[in-house]
Amino acid sequence: MEPPSNHAILAALRGPTCMAGRRSPVLELKESLDVRTACLALLLLLAGCQPPAGPVGNAALLESLRGQWVVINYWAKWCKPCIEEIPELNALDREHGDISVLGVNYDGATGEELAIQLRELQVAFPTLEQDPAELLGQPRPSVLPTTFIINPEGTLVRALIGPQTLESLLAAVRDGQQ
């Protein structure tokens, strides 16, 4: 069986609930992709299923991450090292088109509360409203900040603990390429 086309995936994501009246895109992906790729695809499907008003809420995210390195950073408004590294993550997302940065609010803030925090902390990269740790086969981080580095094939190659700089994030991606 051939993997579903980008068009089919995007069409499945356009519905308000993503699953209403359709065969689960996750099942189709699991039938045709290896487990690691399916985990990343499931993460991206969940991100694409968020309400449009949320921090991440459009199917374009799935397409934009295809074949790219992904950096997933856990942060909280009360975590000073998290706040200090946000400009580094913003720079990584802005200056390196082959790397996509996604954030996860450790406290699980959603909706307007999350939107306020994103504005106050000047977070410029997309933030997921659901914790992806389980989908990545990882425990929920117990230390903040924590950053996951995922290669273009969807494999978690590094888990970084503590505050990062632009240089340390780029080095983690370079190390993951070897």
Side-chain angles (χ1 to χ4, degrees):
M1 177 179 183
E2 289 185 15
S5 68
N6 290 342
H7 177 69
I9 293 170
L10 293 175
L13 290 174
R14 285 195 181 106
T17 63
C18 295
M19 304 294 176
R22 297 182 178 99
R23 184 166 182 242
S24 169
V26 174
L27 292 177
E28 290 178 10
L29 288 173
K30 285 184 81 171
E31 291 172 2
S32 61
L33 303 174
D34 65 72
V35 174
R36 289 182 212 136
T37 304
C39 286
L40 181 58
L42 181 58
L43 165 70
L44 298 176
L45 285 170
L46 290 174
C49 291
Q50 299 299 319
V56 172
N58 60 57
L61 176 63
L62 178 61
E63 187 63 26
S64 70
L65 297 179
R66 188 176 211 27
Q68 294 187 357
W69 285 85
V70 179
V71 173
I72 300 177
N73 177 263
Y74 286 79
W75 60 270
K77 69 178 183 177
W78 47 262
C79 170
K80 186 174 180 172
C82 298
I83 294 167
E84 291 173 353
E85 78 175 351
I86 287 173
E88 303 290 319
L89 293 159
N90 285 340
L92 179 65
D93 192 52
R94 181 180 60 247
E95 298 170 11
H96 296 275
D98 59 331
I99 302 171
S100 292
V101 178
L102 299 173
V104 179
N105 178 270
Y106 188 78
D107 296 325
T110 59
E112 186 60 27
E113 179 185 351
L114 179 56
I116 290 168
Q117 289 182 32
L118 293 172
R119 279 191 304 273
E120 287 176 353
L121 300 177
Q122 299 178 3
V123 175
F125 48 87
T127 296
L128 300 170
E129 286 193 348
Q130 295 181 337
D131 186 342
E134 186 176 331
L135 297 173
L136 297 170
Q138 296 297 306
R140 178 174 161 81
S142 58
V143 176
L144 290 182
T146 294
T147 304
F148 293 152
I149 308 293
I150 301 168
N151 72 13
E153 292 78 37
T155 304
L156 177 69
V157 294
R158 296 281 306 268
L160 307 172
I161 308 299
Q164 303 300 312
T165 64
L166 178 59
E167 292 76 23
S168 68
L169 292 164
L170 290 170
V173 169
R174 277 192 307 272
D175 290 347
Q177 292 172 338
Q178 298 174 4

